[in-house]
């Protein structure tokens, strides 16, 4: 099992999460919000520490190319393992003493990271377990502050935070699936960094997060009748940037074309629009229930 440690960890967390969710004490809204917040926070740290600053690496030993293998490790860690762990944490954190549950989960992940380092599934270049421990304690303590607000909406986490995190997550996932390292159908190559993976992911995430900020800052202020044109405008900005990047040689198509690239932005922005509407309606009903109770 140790020769597939990432898969074993993910399987264990998935089973733990599934058992808890069967009790139906967390709403679908809380689960999606927990997942999106965890992905957003992990991505912000990982792009800086792993890809850009090269402080540590996540070899999964599943791919022969070390660059692609590290990116696969990031996908396992930041978009599956940590977000699933945060969903589990929200389940317990909503009703347990904040420091106690935070330190318990931090200790669990410090021990897990020691195992990863010991068996070569995480490599410290300019990092240490002490630094990781500090991030785990701070991260889970912040999570304990958010847990009851995510689970019960008393008081709710601001809608803009949900919209920011969900937009980043859905736009990022499309890029991670179709670009590097999974399907590798296209690749950003602006030549900002020597590492081709850092170059691709940096450009993909920065361009996606510009759209995320446009959605988060502009759309919530608009009347309902203007939201569909606004989302369409955001998608068009993404498409225009991609076409310009391809013209300048910063975007390389492997088994890709302009139509697919347009869909690469249209589909996630459409899903963000649906989420915005769905979450807004649920939030208004939750506030009304709290006022009448």
């Amino acid at each position: 099992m140790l020769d597939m440690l990432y898969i074993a960890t993910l399987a264990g967390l998935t089973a733990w999460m599934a058992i808890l969710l069967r009790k139906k004490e967390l709403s679908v809204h809380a689960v999606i919000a927990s997942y999106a917040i965890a992905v957003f926070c992990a991505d912000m740290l990982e792009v800086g520490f792993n890809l850009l600053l090269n402080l540590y690496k996540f070899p999964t030993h599943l791919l022969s190319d070390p660059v692609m293998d590290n990116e696969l490790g990031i996908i396992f860690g930041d978009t599956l393992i940590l977000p699933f762990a945060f969903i589990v944490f929200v389940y317990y954190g909503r009703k347990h003493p904040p420091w106690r549950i935070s330190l318990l989960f931090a200790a669990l992940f410090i021990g897990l990271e020691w195992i990863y380092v010991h068996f070569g599934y995480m490599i410290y270049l300019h990092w240490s377990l002490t630094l990781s421990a500090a991030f785990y304690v701070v991260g889970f303590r912040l999570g304990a502050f958010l847990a009851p607000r995510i689970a019960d909406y008393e008081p709710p986490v601001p809608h803009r935070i949900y919209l920011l995190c969900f937009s980043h997550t859905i736009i990022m996932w499309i890029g991670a699936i179709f670009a590097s390292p999974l399907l590798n159908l296209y690749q950003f190559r602006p030549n900002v960094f020597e590492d081709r993976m850092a170059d691709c992911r940096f450009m993909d995430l920065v361009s996606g997060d510009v759209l995320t900020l446009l959605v988060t800052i502009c759309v919530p202020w608009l009347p309902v009748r203007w939201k569909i044109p606004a989302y369409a405008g955001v998608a068009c900005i993404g498409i225009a940037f991609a076409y310009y990047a391809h013209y300048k040689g910063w975007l390389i198509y492997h088994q890709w074309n302009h139509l697919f690239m347009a869909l690469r932005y249209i589909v996630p922005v459409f899903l963000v629009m649906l989420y915005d509407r769905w979450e807004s309606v649920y939030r208004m009903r939750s506030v009304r229930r709290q006022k009448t109770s």
Side-chain angles (χ1 to χ4, degrees), residues 8 13 38 63 65 78 101 107 114-115 149 168 178 240 250 252 254 261 265 278:
L13 278 171
L63 300 176
D65 185 335
D78 294 354
I101 195 68
W114 181 88
I115 294 172
R149 292 164 170 78
H168 168 88
F178 293 106
W250 304 336
I252 302 167
H254 298 307
M261 185 52 72
Y265 289 100
W278 178 65

Side-chain angles (χ1 to χ4, degrees), residues 55-75:
L55 301 182
Y56 52 79
K57 294 298 177 185
F58 284 148
T60 65
H61 305 292
L62 297 174
L63 300 176
S64 57
D65 185 335
V67 175
M68 301 291 268
D69 196 44
N70 175 66
E71 182 64 21
L72 186 61
I74 292 174
I75 289 178

Side-chain angles (χ1 to χ4, degrees), residues 39 72 82-83 93 127 138 140 142 149 160 218 259 287-288:
V39 170
L72 186 61
L82 285 176
W127 197 253
V138 172
F140 281 117
L142 177 60
R149 292 164 170 78
R160 286 178 186 274
C218 300
L259 174 60
V287 171
R288 287 172 188 167

Side-chain angles (χ1 to χ4, degrees), residues 1 4 7 47 74 136 145-146 150 181 229 242 257-258 267 283:
M1 184 174 291
M4 291 197 301
I7 295 174
V47 170
I74 292 174
Y136 285 131
F145 170 78
L146 293 175
I150 294 171
N257 57 45
H258 282 333
V267 171
R283 184 175 294 261

Side-chain angles (χ1 to χ4, degrees), residues 34-49:
S34 301
Y35 178 83
I37 289 172
V39 170
F40 177 80
C41 293
D43 256 1
M44 293 300 101
L45 295 174
E46 212 62 68
V47 170
F49 292 164

Side-chain angles (χ1 to χ4, degrees), residues 160 163-164 166-168 171 208-222 230-231 234-235 268-269 272-273 276:
R160 286 178 186 274
L163 194 57
L164 173 74
F166 184 84
S167 300
H168 168 88
I171 293 173
D209 280 342
V210 169
L211 304 184
T212 293
L213 288 174
L214 288 175
V215 167
T216 305
I217 294 171
C218 300
V219 172
W221 292 102
L222 297 174
Y231 277 112
V234 170
V269 170
V272 171
M273 182 182 71
D276 181 19

